[in-house]
Amino acid sequence: RAGLDTKTMYDVLTSGSAESHILSSYFPRVVFSEERPTGFSLDFMVKDLDLFLSAANKTEVPMFLSGAVRQVFRLAQGQGLGSRDSCHVVQVYEQTAGVRLKFDETPSAE
């Protein structure tokens, strides 16, 4: 929404210390693609987060980010994305920002 070119942002991230298999291979195929194929569903991810947070609660160790992630994932479920891949949570942010993350041309995974 700030006007950054998605492809340029991707090129910068994958050429620095943020580079990873997820960023260079998975994101172009899932997050930045038109079809956004489904893998591990948000419904399963929320179930796993609930189990994890329940177990963590018994240890009395705070899990600050896990609770926040669960809330965003639940929001995505409420928007009908529960059966979609856990990366489809990006649609929650896209809708909020009024943008669609995509490439005009899908970069090749090297």
Side-chain angles (χ1 to χ4, degrees), residues 19-78:
E19 205 292 313
S20 67
H21 174 72
I22 294 294
L23 184 59
S24 63
S25 179
Y26 190 74
F27 271 40
R29 288 184 294 111
V30 177
V31 175
F32 299 130
S33 69
E34 286 296 322
E35 65 277 355
R36 287 190 172 150
T38 296
F40 193 71
S41 76
L42 279 165
D43 288 335
F44 287 133
M45 184 63 74
V46 169
K47 174 194 65 73
D48 289 351
L49 279 168
D50 286 343
L51 291 169
F52 169 76
L53 287 168
S54 177
N57 188 48
K58 293 174 185 169
T59 68
E60 298 183 8
V61 175
M63 298 293 158
F64 305 107
L65 296 178
S66 300
V69 167
R70 180 178 60 179
Q71 293 306 311
V72 173
F73 281 15
R74 285 186 186 259
L75 179 61
Q77 281 179 310

